Amino acid sequence: MKMSDIHSEIQAGILNYLSIHPGAAGSVAEISSNWLADENVAHNLEQVQTAVDRLVDHGELHKSMGTNLYTL
C-alpha cells in the first residue's frame, strides 16, 4: 500500500471515530491506540501525525490551544 493511501485510510478512521464520538479529544498517541484500534490498516505514530496534520490543514480537525489534543 502506498504511503498516501495509508494516510488517507488513517484520516478516514479518525473522521469515522469522530462521527461516532463528536466530543472526543486526544493526542496523536491516543488517536493511534484508541481511535484507530478497530481500523484494519497498520500504522505508526509518524503516519498518524502526518494524517492528523493534513486534517488540521484542511480544517477538518483542530488542535486545542496550548495542548497536544485534537478535536473536531
Side-chain angles (χ1 to χ4, degrees):
M1 183 178 282
K2 293 188 313 185
M3 193 61 67
S4 61
D5 293 338
I6 292 171
H7 293 141
S8 293
E9 290 289 328
I10 293 169
Q11 289 170 339
I14 292 168
L15 294 175
N16 181 54
Y17 183 88
L18 288 170
S19 72
I20 298 166
H21 309 282
S27 66
V28 170
E30 291 168 326
I31 291 169
S32 178
S33 64
N34 298 328
W35 298 13
L36 299 173
D38 295 332
E39 296 300 314
N40 292 327
V41 66
H43 59 274
N44 60 41
L45 287 179
E46 182 179 325
Q47 293 164 332
V48 174
Q49 182 68 64
T50 299
V52 165
D53 290 344
R54 289 181 181 175
L55 289 170
V56 170
D57 289 345
H58 292 127
E60 298 178 83
L61 201 62
H62 303 281
K63 184 175 181 182
S64 296
M65 292 296 240
T67 71
N68 289 323
L69 299 178
Y70 296 89
T71 62
L72 276 178

Short mmCIF file of all heavy atoms in Angstrom, two decimals:
data_model
loop_
_atom_site.label_atom_id
_atom_site.label_comp_id
_atom_site.label_asym_id
_atom_site.label_seq_id
_atom_site.Cartn_x
_atom_site.Cartn_y
_atom_site.Cartn_z
N MET A 1 0.85 -1.18 0.00
CA MET A 1 0.00 0.00 0.00
C MET A 1 0.89 1.24 0.00
O MET A 1 1.88 1.30 0.73
CB MET A 1 -0.90 -0.02 1.24
CG MET A 1 -1.87 1.15 1.30
SD MET A 1 -2.99 1.12 2.73
CE MET A 1 -4.17 -0.08 2.23
N LYS A 2 0.53 2.21 -0.84
CA LYS A 2 1.31 3.44 -0.92
C LYS A 2 1.11 4.27 0.34
O LYS A 2 0.07 4.20 1.00
CB LYS A 2 0.89 4.25 -2.14
CG LYS A 2 1.23 3.59 -3.45
CD LYS A 2 0.99 4.47 -4.65
CE LYS A 2 -0.33 5.18 -4.63
NZ LYS A 2 -0.60 5.95 -5.85
N MET A 3 2.10 5.09 0.68
CA MET A 3 2.05 5.92 1.87
C MET A 3 0.84 6.86 1.85
O MET A 3 0.18 7.04 2.86
CB MET A 3 3.35 6.72 2.03
CG MET A 3 3.51 7.36 3.38
SD MET A 3 3.55 6.18 4.76
CE MET A 3 5.07 5.34 4.44
N SER A 4 0.54 7.43 0.68
CA SER A 4 -0.61 8.34 0.60
C SER A 4 -1.91 7.59 0.88
O SER A 4 -2.83 8.15 1.48
CB SER A 4 -0.66 9.02 -0.76
OG SER A 4 -0.80 8.07 -1.80
N ASP A 5 -1.99 6.33 0.48
CA ASP A 5 -3.17 5.52 0.77
C ASP A 5 -3.28 5.24 2.26
O ASP A 5 -4.38 5.25 2.83
CB ASP A 5 -3.13 4.20 0.00
CG ASP A 5 -3.26 4.39 -1.51
OD1 ASP A 5 -3.78 5.43 -1.94
OD2 ASP A 5 -2.82 3.48 -2.24
N ILE A 6 -2.15 4.99 2.90
CA ILE A 6 -2.14 4.75 4.35
C ILE A 6 -2.64 5.99 5.08
O ILE A 6 -3.49 5.90 5.96
CB ILE A 6 -0.73 4.34 4.85
CG1 ILE A 6 -0.37 2.96 4.30
CG2 ILE A 6 -0.66 4.35 6.38
CD1 ILE A 6 1.06 2.54 4.53
N HIS A 7 -2.13 7.17 4.70
CA HIS A 7 -2.56 8.40 5.35
C HIS A 7 -4.04 8.64 5.12
O HIS A 7 -4.75 9.06 6.05
CB HIS A 7 -1.73 9.59 4.85
CG HIS A 7 -0.30 9.52 5.27
ND1 HIS A 7 0.71 9.89 4.44
CD2 HIS A 7 0.29 9.09 6.41
CE1 HIS A 7 1.88 9.70 5.06
NE2 HIS A 7 1.63 9.21 6.25
N SER A 8 -4.53 8.35 3.93
CA SER A 8 -5.96 8.51 3.63
C SER A 8 -6.80 7.57 4.49
O SER A 8 -7.86 7.96 4.99
CB SER A 8 -6.24 8.25 2.15
OG SER A 8 -5.66 9.24 1.36
N GLU A 9 -6.35 6.34 4.65
CA GLU A 9 -7.06 5.37 5.49
C GLU A 9 -7.08 5.82 6.95
O GLU A 9 -8.09 5.69 7.64
CB GLU A 9 -6.43 3.98 5.38
CG GLU A 9 -6.63 3.33 4.04
CD GLU A 9 -8.05 2.87 3.81
OE1 GLU A 9 -8.74 2.50 4.77
OE2 GLU A 9 -8.48 2.90 2.64
N ILE A 10 -5.96 6.35 7.42
CA ILE A 10 -5.88 6.83 8.79
C ILE A 10 -6.82 8.02 8.97
O ILE A 10 -7.56 8.10 9.96
CB ILE A 10 -4.43 7.21 9.17
CG1 ILE A 10 -3.56 5.94 9.20
CG2 ILE A 10 -4.38 7.93 10.51
CD1 ILE A 10 -2.07 6.22 9.29
N GLN A 11 -6.82 8.94 8.02
CA GLN A 11 -7.71 10.10 8.09
C GLN A 11 -9.16 9.65 8.14
O GLN A 11 -9.95 10.16 8.94
CB GLN A 11 -7.49 11.02 6.90
CG GLN A 11 -6.17 11.76 6.94
CD GLN A 11 -5.87 12.46 5.63
OE1 GLN A 11 -6.39 12.14 4.58
NE2 GLN A 11 -5.00 13.45 5.71
N ALA A 12 -9.52 8.70 7.30
CA ALA A 12 -10.89 8.18 7.29
C ALA A 12 -11.24 7.55 8.63
O ALA A 12 -12.35 7.74 9.14
CB ALA A 12 -11.06 7.17 6.15
N GLY A 13 -10.30 6.82 9.22
CA GLY A 13 -10.54 6.21 10.53
C GLY A 13 -10.75 7.24 11.61
O GLY A 13 -11.63 7.08 12.47
N ILE A 14 -9.98 8.31 11.57
CA ILE A 14 -10.12 9.39 12.56
C ILE A 14 -11.48 10.05 12.41
O ILE A 14 -12.20 10.25 13.40
CB ILE A 14 -8.98 10.43 12.41
CG1 ILE A 14 -7.65 9.81 12.83
CG2 ILE A 14 -9.28 11.69 13.23
CD1 ILE A 14 -6.43 10.64 12.45
N LEU A 15 -11.85 10.39 11.18
CA LEU A 15 -13.14 11.04 10.96
C LEU A 15 -14.30 10.12 11.28
O LEU A 15 -15.33 10.57 11.81
CB LEU A 15 -13.22 11.55 9.52
CG LEU A 15 -12.24 12.68 9.19
CD1 LEU A 15 -12.32 13.03 7.71
CD2 LEU A 15 -12.48 13.91 10.06
N ASN A 16 -14.15 8.83 11.03
CA ASN A 16 -15.18 7.87 11.39
C ASN A 16 -15.36 7.83 12.91
O ASN A 16 -16.48 7.85 13.41
CB ASN A 16 -14.83 6.48 10.85
CG ASN A 16 -15.89 5.46 11.18
OD1 ASN A 16 -17.07 5.65 10.87
ND2 ASN A 16 -15.48 4.37 11.81
N TYR A 17 -14.24 7.76 13.63
CA TYR A 17 -14.31 7.75 15.09
C TYR A 17 -15.01 9.00 15.60
O TYR A 17 -15.88 8.93 16.47
CB TYR A 17 -12.89 7.66 15.68
CG TYR A 17 -12.90 7.57 17.19
CD1 TYR A 17 -13.00 6.34 17.82
CD2 TYR A 17 -12.82 8.71 17.98
CE1 TYR A 17 -13.02 6.25 19.21
CE2 TYR A 17 -12.84 8.64 19.36
CZ TYR A 17 -12.94 7.39 19.97
OH TYR A 17 -12.97 7.31 21.34
N LEU A 18 -14.66 10.15 15.03
CA LEU A 18 -15.26 11.40 15.48
C LEU A 18 -16.73 11.53 15.09
O LEU A 18 -17.47 12.25 15.75
CB LEU A 18 -14.44 12.59 14.96
CG LEU A 18 -13.09 12.74 15.64
CD1 LEU A 18 -12.25 13.78 14.91
CD2 LEU A 18 -13.25 13.12 17.10
N SER A 19 -17.15 10.84 14.05
CA SER A 19 -18.57 10.87 13.70
C SER A 19 -19.40 10.13 14.75
O SER A 19 -20.55 10.46 14.98
CB SER A 19 -18.81 10.26 12.31
OG SER A 19 -18.64 8.86 12.32
N ILE A 20 -18.79 9.16 15.40
CA ILE A 20 -19.45 8.40 16.46
C ILE A 20 -19.25 9.07 17.82
O ILE A 20 -20.13 9.02 18.68
CB ILE A 20 -18.90 6.96 16.50
CG1 ILE A 20 -19.21 6.26 15.17
CG2 ILE A 20 -19.47 6.17 17.67
CD1 ILE A 20 -18.45 4.96 14.96
N HIS A 21 -18.10 9.72 18.02
CA HIS A 21 -17.73 10.36 19.29
C HIS A 21 -17.36 11.82 19.03
O HIS A 21 -16.19 12.20 19.15
CB HIS A 21 -16.54 9.65 19.92
CG HIS A 21 -16.69 8.17 20.05
ND1 HIS A 21 -17.44 7.58 21.04
CD2 HIS A 21 -16.20 7.15 19.29
CE1 HIS A 21 -17.40 6.27 20.90
NE2 HIS A 21 -16.66 5.98 19.84
N PRO A 22 -18.32 12.67 18.68
CA PRO A 22 -18.00 14.05 18.26
C PRO A 22 -17.35 14.91 19.35
O PRO A 22 -16.70 15.89 19.04
CB PRO A 22 -19.35 14.62 17.83
CG PRO A 22 -20.37 13.76 18.48
CD PRO A 22 -19.76 12.40 18.61
N GLY A 23 -17.49 14.54 20.60
CA GLY A 23 -16.88 15.31 21.68
C GLY A 23 -15.50 14.83 22.07
O GLY A 23 -14.90 15.37 23.00
N ALA A 24 -14.98 13.85 21.35
CA ALA A 24 -13.68 13.27 21.71
C ALA A 24 -12.55 14.26 21.47
O ALA A 24 -12.60 15.10 20.58
CB ALA A 24 -13.43 12.00 20.90
N ALA A 25 -11.52 14.13 22.30
CA ALA A 25 -10.28 14.90 22.16
C ALA A 25 -9.14 13.94 22.50
O ALA A 25 -9.25 13.17 23.45
CB ALA A 25 -10.27 16.10 23.09
N GLY A 26 -8.07 13.99 21.72
CA GLY A 26 -6.97 13.09 22.00
C GLY A 26 -5.67 13.54 21.39
O GLY A 26 -5.64 14.30 20.42
N SER A 27 -4.59 13.05 21.98
CA SER A 27 -3.25 13.28 21.44
C SER A 27 -3.02 12.31 20.29
O SER A 27 -3.81 11.39 20.06
CB SER A 27 -2.20 13.03 22.53
OG SER A 27 -2.21 11.65 22.88
N VAL A 28 -1.94 12.49 19.57
CA VAL A 28 -1.62 11.58 18.48
C VAL A 28 -1.48 10.15 19.00
O VAL A 28 -1.97 9.21 18.38
CB VAL A 28 -0.34 12.04 17.73
CG1 VAL A 28 0.15 10.98 16.76
CG2 VAL A 28 -0.62 13.35 16.99
N ALA A 29 -0.87 9.98 20.16
CA ALA A 29 -0.72 8.64 20.74
C ALA A 29 -2.08 8.04 21.08
O ALA A 29 -2.32 6.85 20.83
CB ALA A 29 0.16 8.69 21.99
N GLU A 30 -2.98 8.84 21.64
CA GLU A 30 -4.33 8.34 21.96
C GLU A 30 -5.12 8.03 20.70
O GLU A 30 -5.85 7.04 20.65
CB GLU A 30 -5.08 9.37 22.81
CG GLU A 30 -4.51 9.51 24.20
CD GLU A 30 -5.05 10.72 24.95
OE1 GLU A 30 -5.32 11.76 24.32
OE2 GLU A 30 -5.18 10.61 26.17
N ILE A 31 -4.97 8.89 19.69
CA ILE A 31 -5.64 8.64 18.41
C ILE A 31 -5.16 7.31 17.85
O ILE A 31 -5.96 6.47 17.42
CB ILE A 31 -5.38 9.79 17.44
CG1 ILE A 31 -6.10 11.06 17.92
CG2 ILE A 31 -5.83 9.42 16.03
CD1 ILE A 31 -5.71 12.34 17.19
N SER A 32 -3.86 7.10 17.88
CA SER A 32 -3.28 5.88 17.33
C SER A 32 -3.75 4.64 18.08
O SER A 32 -4.17 3.66 17.47
CB SER A 32 -1.75 5.96 17.39
OG SER A 32 -1.18 4.78 16.90
N SER A 33 -3.71 4.68 19.40
CA SER A 33 -4.01 3.47 20.18
C SER A 33 -5.49 3.26 20.44
O SER A 33 -5.94 2.11 20.54
CB SER A 33 -3.25 3.49 21.50
OG SER A 33 -3.68 4.58 22.30
N ASN A 34 -6.28 4.34 20.53
CA ASN A 34 -7.70 4.19 20.87
C ASN A 34 -8.62 4.41 19.68
O ASN A 34 -9.46 3.58 19.38
CB ASN A 34 -8.08 5.14 22.01
CG ASN A 34 -7.32 4.85 23.28
OD1 ASN A 34 -6.98 3.71 23.56
ND2 ASN A 34 -7.02 5.88 24.04
N TRP A 35 -8.49 5.56 19.04
CA TRP A 35 -9.41 5.92 17.96
C TRP A 35 -9.26 4.99 16.77
O TRP A 35 -10.22 4.70 16.06
CB TRP A 35 -9.19 7.35 17.49
CG TRP A 35 -9.43 8.42 18.51
CD1 TRP A 35 -9.59 8.27 19.87
CD2 TRP A 35 -9.54 9.82 18.26
NE1 TRP A 35 -9.77 9.50 20.46
CE2 TRP A 35 -9.75 10.47 19.49
CE3 TRP A 35 -9.46 10.58 17.11
CZ2 TRP A 35 -9.90 11.84 19.61
CZ3 TRP A 35 -9.60 11.96 17.22
CH2 TRP A 35 -9.83 12.57 18.46
N LEU A 36 -8.06 4.52 16.52
CA LEU A 36 -7.80 3.68 15.35
C LEU A 36 -7.68 2.20 15.70
O LEU A 36 -7.28 1.40 14.86
CB LEU A 36 -6.52 4.15 14.64
CG LEU A 36 -6.56 5.59 14.12
CD1 LEU A 36 -5.18 6.00 13.60
CD2 LEU A 36 -7.62 5.76 13.05
N ALA A 37 -8.07 1.84 16.91
CA ALA A 37 -7.91 0.46 17.38
C ALA A 37 -8.66 -0.54 16.51
O ALA A 37 -8.20 -1.67 16.33
CB ALA A 37 -8.37 0.35 18.84
N ASP A 38 -9.80 -0.15 15.97
CA ASP A 38 -10.60 -1.08 15.17
C ASP A 38 -10.33 -1.00 13.67
O ASP A 38 -10.96 -1.70 12.88
CB ASP A 38 -12.09 -0.82 15.41
CG ASP A 38 -12.50 -1.13 16.85
OD1 ASP A 38 -11.85 -1.99 17.48
OD2 ASP A 38 -13.46 -0.50 17.33
N GLU A 39 -9.41 -0.14 13.27
CA GLU A 39 -9.10 0.01 11.85
C GLU A 39 -8.19 -1.14 11.39
O GLU A 39 -7.39 -1.66 12.14
CB GLU A 39 -8.42 1.35 11.59
CG GLU A 39 -9.29 2.54 11.89
CD GLU A 39 -10.57 2.58 11.07
OE1 GLU A 39 -10.51 2.37 9.85
OE2 GLU A 39 -11.64 2.79 11.68
N ASN A 40 -8.33 -1.49 10.13
CA ASN A 40 -7.57 -2.62 9.59
C ASN A 40 -6.26 -2.22 8.92
O ASN A 40 -5.60 -3.06 8.35
CB ASN A 40 -8.44 -3.38 8.58
CG ASN A 40 -9.59 -4.08 9.25
OD1 ASN A 40 -9.48 -4.53 10.39
ND2 ASN A 40 -10.71 -4.17 8.57
N VAL A 41 -5.90 -0.95 8.99
CA VAL A 41 -4.65 -0.51 8.38
C VAL A 41 -3.57 -0.39 9.47
O VAL A 41 -3.80 0.19 10.52
CB VAL A 41 -4.83 0.83 7.62
CG1 VAL A 41 -5.14 1.96 8.55
CG2 VAL A 41 -3.63 1.14 6.77
N ALA A 42 -2.42 -1.01 9.21
CA ALA A 42 -1.30 -0.90 10.14
C ALA A 42 -0.75 0.52 10.06
O ALA A 42 -0.69 1.11 8.98
CB ALA A 42 -0.22 -1.91 9.79
N HIS A 43 -0.39 1.07 11.21
CA HIS A 43 0.09 2.45 11.24
C HIS A 43 1.07 2.64 12.39
O HIS A 43 1.10 1.85 13.32
CB HIS A 43 -1.09 3.42 11.39
CG HIS A 43 -1.88 3.18 12.64
ND1 HIS A 43 -2.90 2.25 12.70
CD2 HIS A 43 -1.78 3.71 13.88
CE1 HIS A 43 -3.40 2.24 13.92
NE2 HIS A 43 -2.74 3.11 14.65
N ASN A 44 1.88 3.70 12.27
CA ASN A 44 2.77 4.08 13.37
C ASN A 44 2.48 5.53 13.73
O ASN A 44 1.68 6.21 13.06
CB ASN A 44 4.24 3.84 12.99
CG ASN A 44 4.67 4.65 11.79
OD1 ASN A 44 4.32 5.82 11.63
ND2 ASN A 44 5.45 4.03 10.90
N LEU A 45 3.10 6.02 14.77
CA LEU A 45 2.82 7.39 15.25
C LEU A 45 3.16 8.45 14.22
O LEU A 45 2.45 9.44 14.09
CB LEU A 45 3.57 7.67 16.56
CG LEU A 45 3.02 6.96 17.80
CD1 LEU A 45 3.87 7.31 19.02
CD2 LEU A 45 1.57 7.33 18.04
N GLU A 46 4.22 8.25 13.47
CA GLU A 46 4.61 9.23 12.45
C GLU A 46 3.52 9.33 11.37
O GLU A 46 3.17 10.42 10.92
CB GLU A 46 5.94 8.83 11.82
CG GLU A 46 6.44 9.81 10.78
CD GLU A 46 7.78 9.39 10.19
OE1 GLU A 46 8.61 8.82 10.92
OE2 GLU A 46 7.97 9.65 8.99
N GLN A 47 2.99 8.20 10.95
CA GLN A 47 1.93 8.20 9.94
C GLN A 47 0.66 8.86 10.48
O GLN A 47 -0.01 9.60 9.76
CB GLN A 47 1.64 6.77 9.49
CG GLN A 47 2.78 6.15 8.72
CD GLN A 47 2.66 4.65 8.60
OE1 GLN A 47 2.08 3.99 9.45
NE2 GLN A 47 3.24 4.11 7.53
N VAL A 48 0.34 8.59 11.74
CA VAL A 48 -0.83 9.21 12.36
C VAL A 48 -0.63 10.71 12.46
O VAL A 48 -1.54 11.49 12.15
CB VAL A 48 -1.14 8.59 13.73
CG1 VAL A 48 -2.28 9.33 14.43
CG2 VAL A 48 -1.49 7.11 13.59
N GLN A 49 0.56 11.16 12.85
CA GLN A 49 0.84 12.59 12.94
C GLN A 49 0.67 13.25 11.58
O GLN A 49 0.07 14.33 11.48
CB GLN A 49 2.26 12.84 13.47
CG GLN A 49 2.59 14.31 13.64
CD GLN A 49 1.79 14.97 14.74
OE1 GLN A 49 1.92 14.62 15.90
NE2 GLN A 49 0.93 15.92 14.39
N THR A 50 1.17 12.63 10.53
CA THR A 50 1.02 13.19 9.18
C THR A 50 -0.45 13.28 8.80
O THR A 50 -0.90 14.31 8.27
CB THR A 50 1.78 12.33 8.15
OG1 THR A 50 3.17 12.34 8.49
CG2 THR A 50 1.60 12.86 6.74
N ALA A 51 -1.22 12.25 9.08
CA ALA A 51 -2.65 12.25 8.78
C ALA A 51 -3.37 13.34 9.58
O ALA A 51 -4.21 14.06 9.03
CB ALA A 51 -3.25 10.88 9.07
N VAL A 52 -3.04 13.47 10.84
CA VAL A 52 -3.65 14.50 11.70
C VAL A 52 -3.29 15.89 11.16
O VAL A 52 -4.16 16.76 11.05
CB VAL A 52 -3.20 14.33 13.17
CG1 VAL A 52 -3.49 15.56 14.00
CG2 VAL A 52 -3.85 13.09 13.78
N ASP A 53 -2.04 16.10 10.82
CA ASP A 53 -1.61 17.40 10.28
C ASP A 53 -2.39 17.75 9.02
O ASP A 53 -2.79 18.90 8.83
CB ASP A 53 -0.11 17.39 9.98
CG ASP A 53 0.75 17.37 11.23
OD1 ASP A 53 0.23 17.65 12.33
OD2 ASP A 53 1.94 17.03 11.11
N ARG A 54 -2.63 16.78 8.17
CA ARG A 54 -3.39 17.03 6.94
C ARG A 54 -4.84 17.39 7.26
O ARG A 54 -5.42 18.28 6.63
CB ARG A 54 -3.32 15.81 6.03
CG ARG A 54 -1.95 15.64 5.41
CD ARG A 54 -1.91 14.45 4.51
NE ARG A 54 -0.56 14.31 3.96
CZ ARG A 54 -0.18 13.31 3.20
NH1 ARG A 54 -1.04 12.37 2.86
NH2 ARG A 54 1.06 13.25 2.76
N LEU A 55 -5.42 16.71 8.23
CA LEU A 55 -6.79 17.04 8.63
C LEU A 55 -6.87 18.45 9.23
O LEU A 55 -7.83 19.18 8.97
CB LEU A 55 -7.33 16.01 9.63
CG LEU A 55 -7.64 14.63 9.05
CD1 LEU A 55 -7.93 13.64 10.17
CD2 LEU A 55 -8.80 14.69 8.07
N VAL A 56 -5.87 18.82 10.00
CA VAL A 56 -5.80 20.18 10.55
C VAL A 56 -5.66 21.19 9.42
O VAL A 56 -6.36 22.21 9.39
CB VAL A 56 -4.65 20.32 11.58
CG1 VAL A 56 -4.43 21.77 11.97
CG2 VAL A 56 -4.95 19.47 12.82
N ASP A 57 -4.77 20.92 8.48
CA ASP A 57 -4.56 21.83 7.34
C ASP A 57 -5.84 22.05 6.53
O ASP A 57 -6.05 23.12 5.98
CB ASP A 57 -3.46 21.29 6.41
CG ASP A 57 -2.08 21.38 7.02
OD1 ASP A 57 -1.89 22.09 8.04
OD2 ASP A 57 -1.16 20.72 6.48
N HIS A 58 -6.68 21.01 6.46
CA HIS A 58 -7.93 21.10 5.71
C HIS A 58 -9.11 21.59 6.56
O HIS A 58 -10.23 21.65 6.07
CB HIS A 58 -8.27 19.75 5.08
CG HIS A 58 -7.33 19.36 4.00
ND1 HIS A 58 -6.67 18.15 3.98
CD2 HIS A 58 -6.90 20.03 2.89
CE1 HIS A 58 -5.89 18.10 2.92
NE2 HIS A 58 -6.00 19.22 2.25
N GLY A 59 -8.84 21.91 7.84
CA GLY A 59 -9.88 22.43 8.71
C GLY A 59 -10.87 21.39 9.21
O GLY A 59 -11.91 21.74 9.76
N GLU A 60 -10.55 20.11 9.04
CA GLU A 60 -11.45 19.04 9.47
C GLU A 60 -11.18 18.62 10.92
O GLU A 60 -12.00 17.93 11.52
CB GLU A 60 -11.32 17.84 8.55
CG GLU A 60 -11.72 18.15 7.12
CD GLU A 60 -11.55 16.96 6.21
OE1 GLU A 60 -12.46 16.12 6.20
OE2 GLU A 60 -10.51 16.90 5.53
N LEU A 61 -10.05 19.01 11.46
CA LEU A 61 -9.63 18.70 12.82
C LEU A 61 -8.96 19.94 13.37
O LEU A 61 -8.37 20.71 12.61
CB LEU A 61 -8.64 17.52 12.78
CG LEU A 61 -8.42 16.69 14.02
CD1 LEU A 61 -9.71 16.00 14.45
CD2 LEU A 61 -7.36 15.63 13.75
N HIS A 62 -9.05 20.13 14.67
CA HIS A 62 -8.46 21.31 15.30
C HIS A 62 -7.59 20.90 16.47
O HIS A 62 -7.93 19.98 17.21
CB HIS A 62 -9.57 22.25 15.79
CG HIS A 62 -10.49 22.66 14.70
ND1 HIS A 62 -10.18 23.64 13.78
CD2 HIS A 62 -11.71 22.20 14.34
CE1 HIS A 62 -11.16 23.77 12.93
NE2 HIS A 62 -12.11 22.90 13.23
N LYS A 63 -6.48 21.62 16.63
CA LYS A 63 -5.60 21.39 17.77
C LYS A 63 -5.99 22.40 18.84
O LYS A 63 -6.06 23.60 18.58
CB LYS A 63 -4.14 21.58 17.38
CG LYS A 63 -3.18 21.26 18.50
CD LYS A 63 -1.75 21.34 18.04
CE LYS A 63 -0.82 20.99 19.18
NZ LYS A 63 0.58 21.10 18.79
N SER A 64 -6.27 21.89 20.05
CA SER A 64 -6.63 22.77 21.16
C SER A 64 -5.43 23.63 21.53
O SER A 64 -4.30 23.13 21.61
CB SER A 64 -7.07 21.94 22.37
OG SER A 64 -8.23 21.21 22.05
N MET A 65 -5.69 24.91 21.72
CA MET A 65 -4.62 25.85 22.04
C MET A 65 -3.87 25.44 23.30
O MET A 65 -4.49 25.09 24.30
CB MET A 65 -5.20 27.25 22.26
CG MET A 65 -5.74 27.86 20.99
SD MET A 65 -4.42 28.11 19.83
CE MET A 65 -4.53 29.85 19.61
N GLY A 66 -2.57 25.45 23.22
CA GLY A 66 -1.72 25.16 24.37
C GLY A 66 -1.67 23.71 24.78
O GLY A 66 -1.16 23.39 25.84
N THR A 67 -2.23 22.81 23.96
CA THR A 67 -2.20 21.39 24.28
C THR A 67 -1.79 20.59 23.04
O THR A 67 -1.62 21.13 21.98
CB THR A 67 -3.60 20.88 24.73
OG1 THR A 67 -4.46 20.86 23.59
CG2 THR A 67 -4.19 21.75 25.82
N ASN A 68 -1.67 19.31 23.23
CA ASN A 68 -1.42 18.40 22.12
C ASN A 68 -2.66 17.58 21.82
O ASN A 68 -2.58 16.44 21.36
CB ASN A 68 -0.25 17.46 22.45
CG ASN A 68 1.06 18.21 22.45
OD1 ASN A 68 1.28 19.10 21.65
ND2 ASN A 68 1.96 17.84 23.35
N LEU A 69 -3.84 18.15 22.11
CA LEU A 69 -5.10 17.44 21.91
C LEU A 69 -5.79 17.92 20.64
O LEU A 69 -5.81 19.12 20.34
CB LEU A 69 -6.04 17.65 23.10
CG LEU A 69 -5.53 17.15 24.44
CD1 LEU A 69 -6.54 17.46 25.53
CD2 LEU A 69 -5.26 15.63 24.38
N TYR A 70 -6.35 16.98 19.92
CA TYR A 70 -7.04 17.26 18.67
C TYR A 70 -8.53 16.94 18.82
O TYR A 70 -8.90 15.96 19.47
CB TYR A 70 -6.44 16.44 17.54
CG TYR A 70 -5.01 16.82 17.27
CD1 TYR A 70 -3.96 16.18 17.95
CD2 TYR A 70 -4.69 17.82 16.37
CE1 TYR A 70 -2.65 16.56 17.72
CE2 TYR A 70 -3.38 18.19 16.13
CZ TYR A 70 -2.36 17.55 16.82
OH TYR A 70 -1.06 17.92 16.60
N THR A 71 -9.37 17.81 18.24
CA THR A 71 -10.83 17.67 18.33
C THR A 71 -11.44 18.06 16.98
O THR A 71 -10.76 18.54 16.09
CB THR A 71 -11.42 18.60 19.41
OG1 THR A 71 -11.13 19.95 19.04
CG2 THR A 71 -10.85 18.33 20.78
N LEU A 72 -12.75 17.87 16.90
CA LEU A 72 -13.49 18.34 15.71
C LEU A 72 -13.46 19.85 15.64
O LEU A 72 -13.37 20.56 16.54
CB LEU A 72 -14.94 17.88 15.74
CG LEU A 72 -15.19 16.48 15.21
CD1 LEU A 72 -16.68 16.14 15.33
CD2 LEU A 72 -14.78 16.37 13.76
#
